[in-house]
Amino acid sequence: DGRQGQGDRASEEECNIRKNEFEDEMRILDISSYRFWGYADGTLMQQKGCFDDQRFDRFSKIFVTGLNDNHADHMAACRYLADALRKQGNDSAEVYVYEVHAMLQTPTHFLDITSVIEEKLRLIRCHRSQLLSLKYDESARCMAELRAIQSRKAGCYYETYQRMQSDDAAEDRTFILQDELQKSRLFY
């Protein structure tokens, strides 16, 4: 729910701001069907099974943040999505990890987004409260420019994705340590 934010506002106020920013983005995209779970920011790791009631069998492609992202909730989303797909016996959906806070080390897919880079930046800028201390819009633009240069396409913008295999999100030590850290923070 974004309540931790990046400012000095009360958590409930920050939560409302972040929800409104998300809804602004959905309006721009003309998306009216979405689900806002409302879990407290930084606690998704404690919501094991949170995707179990979400049916994924109608999707052919699913995009998610990755296990190596530098945000605990992003790591948990990837892990719990993989768990839900496994429990549901869904091995037909293609799952792709995308870059947010950390660059993918072994991307499998490159997509030229030159024609839509300004639209992407406009959507990122819907999240005004997140841009106060960290310029995510500029970070996304720079990352897309770097990915294009790595593909020898100077003057273009690329996004990269990594196709996730069913065992990629299996229990690993990093996730266990992050989970223990979250529990420790809540306890102390």
Side-chain angles (χ1 to χ4, degrees):
D1 67 4
R3 71 180 57 238
Q4 298 302 322
Q6 295 165 352
D8 56 357
R9 289 184 282 275
S11 61
E12 286 305 315
E13 181 184 358
E14 188 69 30
C15 178
N16 288 331
I17 289 170
R18 297 284 290 270
K19 185 176 181 182
N20 289 334
E21 291 171 345
F22 173 77
E23 289 171 344
D24 288 346
E25 184 178 26
M26 294 298 100
R27 274 191 289 281
I28 289 171
L29 292 168
D30 198 27
I31 295 174
S32 59
S33 178
Y34 54 85
R35 184 173 172 186
F36 195 83
W37 272 283
Y39 295 127
D41 195 17
T43 67
L44 191 58
M45 281 191 199
Q46 298 157 10
Q47 309 299 329
K48 192 168 186 158
C50 59
F51 295 142
D52 288 355
D53 66 342
Q54 173 68 48
R55 294 300 308 167
F56 293 102
D57 52 358
R58 62 188 177 120
F59 300 105
S60 59
K61 292 181 177 42
I62 301 171
F63 294 84
V64 67
T65 51
L67 289 174
N68 295 319
D69 193 290
N70 293 328
H71 191 293
D73 289 340
H74 292 193
M75 294 168 56
C78 181
R79 174 60 192 279
Y80 293 152
L81 169 68
D83 288 350
L85 291 172
R86 194 170 20 262
K87 287 176 188 175
Q88 294 173 18
N90 185 337
D91 56 358
S92 61
E94 296 175 12
V95 179
Y96 295 93
V97 172
Y98 61 91
E99 298 173 320
V100 179
H101 297 107
M103 292 184 80
L104 295 171
Q105 298 303 307
T106 54
T108 57
H109 293 72
F110 291 77
L111 178 65
D112 185 343
I113 62 165
T114 306
S115 65
V116 295
I117 186 69
E118 291 306 319
E119 181 68 12
K120 175 180 176 145
L121 297 177
R122 178 177 169 225
L123 293 168
I124 291 172
R125 290 176 185 135
C126 286
H127 304 274
R128 295 169 295 284
S129 68
Q130 295 179 60
L131 301 175
L132 297 176
S133 61
L134 298 170
K135 304 295 182 196
Y136 289 113
D137 54 343
E138 283 303 306
S139 173
R141 186 192 60 73
C142 289
M143 195 177 315
E145 186 174 31
L146 174 62
R147 288 305 197 177
I149 290 170
Q150 289 174 330
S151 298
R152 307 227 186 291
K153 300 288 184 177
C156 295
Y157 296 93
Y158 273 48
E159 282 185 347
T160 59
Y161 303 90
Q162 183 175 354
R163 174 95 186 261
M164 190 171 81
Q165 302 305 318
S166 60
D167 60 344
D168 286 353
E171 189 91 25
D172 66 9
R173 189 70 189 139
T174 302
F175 195 81
I176 293 168
L177 289 173
Q178 286 289 336
D179 189 37
E180 290 171 0
L181 178 61
Q182 289 295 321
K183 289 176 186 171
S184 176
R185 284 182 183 154
L186 285 174
F187 183 75
Y188 293 106

